Amino acid sequence: MASLSTDSDNSSAITPVKTSEPVQGFLITIVGATALAHGCNDMIQAVLPSIYPMLKASFTLTYAQIGLISLVYQITASLLQPWIGLYTDKHPQPFLLPAGMGVTLLGIGLLAIASNFMMILTAAALVGVGSSIFHPEASRIARMASGGRFGTAQSAFQVGGNAGSAFGPLLAALLIIPHGQLSVAWLMLCALVAIVILTKLSQWSARHGHAHMKRHGSAALQKLPKVKVLQALVVVSILMFAKFTYIASLSNYFTFYLVHRFSLPLEQAQMCLFAFLAAVAVGTFVGGPVGDRIGRKAVVWVSFLGVIPFSLLLPHVDLIWTIVLTILIGLILSSAFSALVVYAQEIVPGRAGMVAGIMFGTMFGIGGLAAAGLGKLADMYGINWVYSLCAFLPLLGFATLFMPNTKQKR
């Protein structure tokens, strides 16, 4: 059985915990089911920003109001997640998964029939609450089934969500925008499919999941000293801010940018957004397994530094190069998230649900605040100015210099 060691060069390095108990293999059926459910969940979520132009026209909304919809959704999707993860670390509640998707189902139904701005905000809040319940427990189930390949399992889980996010704009362009707001109700079928999958996963988790978690607990790493943990979390927070503020600028306002700057028809702009989100899914899929091999920190370096030249060029190129550069940005920048999640779980071992809740919650929270702030800036200075400003965000990736090492060698 292979041994693990770290590449840290000081006495505070993480050391492995040895055990003679066997570790189960990678349970691809369980991990695949969590990824599929994640895809359903995130496809529903992705439809919301994809229909912002339709809602803006139908209800005569400002960019600031569009940003407020994102803020309400993202905040409700973020605030509950760490607390749900912390509670279920101590008191597992696997059947929260289908219950959370039921809340999302209610949000979709309300969005389809919303007749005013407050109803839209309420619907966005319900979808956010459903998401906050889903992510910590589903991420934990993927980790349970990883067989110790935590990065690969997290990457597979996350790429399911990113694939769903990519298909959200496509679904909006082909089904919802041509047929109007009421057609949002078709998404309820997707939520029902997810409820069936999540019920099966909850049954597996209740019977076997936590036993698997205990078996491959041998692969967990001891805690860093508190000062190093604090340093690592500060760096991760900076990187999450840079990544998800930049992603929010593209996922929420890219269609507006294309329509405004290049006079692109809305349906074609949605296709461009789909191409970007599909690239995000591919990049996420690559990031986890690579992180298992070369270490989380190396993946983060490549992700942030590699995207800098493309982000700086983006506001100054023509339509074709805009599409090419956004695809490259999606591929490279997205590889960091799975690495950051597993890195955080390594520095705070034994709190997989809480850490997943914090990471996904932070992702949604930053995305919501960024969407609201960027919307206000777009009203004041124009959408082109916003993209010129966001081009500098990846430079914060140099904070990776201060990440304590947790790279594992086999």
Side-chain angles (χ1 to χ4, degrees):
M1 182 174 175
S3 61
L4 299 176
S5 62
T6 66
D7 61 355
S8 182
D9 55 0
N10 55 57
S11 59
S12 65
I14 296 175
T15 57
V17 180
K18 296 181 180 180
T19 183
S20 59
E21 293 184 10
V23 179
Q24 102 281 342
F26 188 89
L27 302 180
I28 190 170
T29 302
I30 301 300
V31 174
T34 62
L36 180 59
H38 199 186
C40 293
N41 182 81
D42 284 19
M43 183 172 70
I44 291 169
Q45 297 173 32
V47 165
L48 182 60
S50 298
I51 63 173
Y52 283 167
M54 181 182 74
L55 296 176
K56 188 175 188 294
S58 299
F59 295 92
T60 319
L61 304 179
T62 66
Y63 282 121
Q65 287 176 307
I66 292 294
L68 185 59
I69 296 171
S70 282
L71 177 63
V72 168
Y73 160 67
Q74 302 280 18
I75 291 299
T76 55
S78 64
L79 290 180
L80 291 177
Q81 288 201 41
W83 301 105
I84 290 172
L86 178 61
Y87 180 78
T88 56
D89 279 334
K90 298 178 180 180
H91 310 285
Q93 301 289 332
F95 287 95
L96 277 177
L97 282 170
M101 188 57 64
V103 176
T104 298
L105 183 70
L106 292 176
I108 298 166
L110 182 59
L111 182 61
I113 62 172
S115 58
N116 56 61
F117 182 61
M118 290 306 300
M119 289 182 70
I120 294 173
L121 289 180
T122 304
L126 287 173
V127 174
V129 169
S131 178
S132 70
I133 296 171
F134 171 83
H135 283 97
E137 192 65 24
S139 179
R140 186 209 313 281
I141 290 178
R143 187 175 177 87
M144 288 174 181
S146 69
R149 293 163 60 188
F150 302 127
T152 302
Q154 181 60 45
S155 181
F157 170 72
Q158 188 60 26
V159 80
N162 286 340
S165 296
F167 279 102
L170 189 63
L171 185 64
L174 297 178
L175 177 64
I176 297 174
I177 291 175
H179 297 95
Q181 180 185 346
L182 190 60
S183 61
V184 171
W186 284 106
L187 292 174
M188 298 175 76
L189 293 176
C190 182
L192 289 171
V193 170
I195 288 173
V196 173
I197 296 171
L198 292 173
T199 300
K200 297 293 185 182
L201 285 173
S202 297
Q203 292 169 346
W204 176 86
S205 177
R207 290 195 304 265
H208 308 297
H210 290 276
H212 285 311
M213 181 70 88
K214 289 179 181 178
R215 288 197 193 102
H216 63 243
S218 61
L221 301 172
Q222 293 179 0
K223 290 184 179 180
L224 285 167
K226 288 184 179 179
V227 73
K228 288 289 185 181
V229 171
L230 180 60
Q231 176 184 330
L233 292 177
V234 169
V235 172
V236 168
S237 298
I238 293 171
L239 297 175
M240 293 279 283
F241 170 80
K243 173 179 166 58
F244 288 109
T245 300
Y246 194 82
I247 291 294
S249 73
L250 289 169
S251 60
N252 288 282
Y253 298 108
F254 190 47
T255 52
F256 293 111
Y257 177 73
L258 293 174
V259 170
H260 179 267
R261 184 174 178 194
F262 302 109
S263 300
L264 203 64
L266 179 57
E267 289 78 6
Q268 293 182 29
Q270 294 283 13
M271 295 299 180
C272 294
L273 179 59
F274 167 74
F276 164 72
L277 294 174
V280 169
V282 173
T284 302
F285 180 76
V286 173
V290 172
D292 282 339
R293 287 182 172 272
I294 69 173
R296 322 300 171 196
K297 188 173 179 178
V299 172
V300 173
W301 267 122
V302 172
S303 177
F304 280 90
L305 299 190
V307 85
I308 288 173
F310 303 128
S311 68
L312 293 176
L313 282 172
L314 182 62
H316 310 289
V317 295
D318 60 18
L319 175 61
I320 298 299
W321 277 107
T322 294
I323 296 169
V324 171
L325 290 179
T326 51
I327 290 173
L328 291 173
I329 289 168
L331 283 169
I332 299 170
L333 190 59
S334 61
S335 63
F337 184 65
S338 295
L340 287 171
V341 171
V342 179
Y343 177 84
Q345 289 173 334
E346 288 175 350
I347 62 175
V348 190
R351 291 290 182 265
M354 183 191 72
V355 171
I358 290 173
M359 297 296 284
F360 283 103
T362 301
M363 175 181 73
F364 288 121
I366 291 173
L369 292 171
L374 294 174
K376 185 65 175 178
L377 290 173
D379 282 335
M380 295 172 61
Y381 303 109
I383 196 72
N384 292 352
W385 184 89
V386 167
Y387 276 86
S388 297
L389 175 66
C390 290
F392 296 95
L393 283 169
L395 293 171
L396 292 175
F398 283 104
T400 308
L401 283 166
F402 302 100
M403 287 178 73
N405 290 319
T406 63
K407 177 180 168 184
Q408 302 179 19
K409 296 178 181 178
R410 293 191 180 274

